């Protein structure tokens, strides 16, 4: 993420310190400046909320102009990123498929055992009924 900021001086003298900070979602500082205007570049590796804070320790109210530009990767770079991620995901995908197949097999075994238990219970009840009649 790149951008720039500029405090409005509007003819007033600077009567206090001004500061601009950018914090990531872990609240660690990614950029800090005490200048009146500056460009910045922050490497955004993870998604999340980034806080942009402006501090004015002076007595006068000052406005600030902030422009943020986000570089979008070109399509060739995107395709490379997709291929890299696909290579990383393939082993994980195979492992998940194996876990899924094992769970499916366990489920079918449980249904088979349940059916056999019902059959044995029916045979047992039939045998008990014959013993009582005899």
């Amino acid at each position: 993420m790149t951008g720039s900021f500029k405090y409005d001086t509007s003819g007033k003298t600077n009567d206090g310190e001004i500061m601009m900070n950018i914090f990531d979602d872990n609240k660690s500082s990614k950029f800090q400046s005490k200048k009146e205007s500056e460009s910045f570049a922050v490497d955004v590796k993870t998604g999340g909320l980034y806080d942009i804070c402006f501090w004015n320790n002076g007595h006068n109210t000052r406005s600030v102009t902030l422009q943020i530009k986000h570089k979008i990767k070109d399509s060739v770079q995107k395709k490379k990123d997709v291929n890299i991620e696909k290579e990383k995901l393939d082993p994980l995908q195979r492992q998940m498929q194996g876990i899924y197949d094992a769970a499916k097999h366990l489920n079918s075994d449980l249904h088979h055992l349940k059916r056999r238990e019902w059959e044995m219970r029916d045979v047992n009840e039939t045998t008990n009924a014959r013993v009582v009649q005899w």
Side-chain angles (χ1 to χ4, degrees):
M1 170 177 68
T2 60
S4 62
F5 66 94
K6 180 180 179 183
Y7 288 98
D8 179 29
T9 55
S10 66
K12 297 179 183 175
T13 60
N14 184 7
D15 65 338
E17 184 179 64
I18 54 173
M19 188 168 51
M20 186 258 204
N21 283 331
I22 299 177
F23 298 100
D24 65 2
D25 56 347
N26 294 325
K27 301 301 180 207
S28 62
S29 180
K30 295 295 184 182
F31 178 81
Q32 181 176 2
S33 175
K34 293 182 179 181
K35 297 182 180 178
E36 292 283 329
S37 66
E38 189 173 0
S39 296
F40 60 88
V42 176
D43 189 18
V44 179
K45 293 182 180 179
T46 60
L49 296 176
Y50 284 74
D51 293 327
I52 300 174
C53 301
F54 295 95
W55 305 92
N56 181 10
N57 293 330
H59 297 288
N60 295 325
T61 303
R62 300 176 75 178
S63 63
V64 65
T65 303
L66 174 66
Q67 291 182 330
I68 297 178
K69 302 171 195 151
H70 181 66
K71 271 190 180 175
I72 299 175
K73 296 179 182 178
D74 62 348
S75 61
V76 174
Q77 184 64 33
K78 281 184 182 179
K79 287 179 184 177
K80 286 180 183 176
D81 289 349
V82 167
N83 287 338
I84 291 171
E85 287 188 22
K86 190 175 182 182
E87 290 172 5
K88 289 180 182 177
L89 285 178
D90 280 343
L92 182 62
Q93 203 170 17
R94 283 193 299 272
Q95 186 179 11
M96 288 300 295
Q97 185 64 41
I99 292 170
Y100 176 75
D101 291 340
K104 215 168 149 182
H105 181 71
L106 284 173
N107 193 22
S108 69
D109 283 351
L110 283 174
H111 283 295
H112 174 72
L113 289 173
K114 194 183 259 186
R115 242 184 331 208
R116 295 236 359 207
E117 182 184 1
W118 288 341
E119 289 172 5
M120 287 183 201
R121 185 174 294 186
D122 288 343
V123 169
N124 187 20
E125 288 175 2
T126 305
T127 305
N128 284 343
R130 287 183 186 165
V131 169
V132 169
Q133 290 176 0
W134 191 53

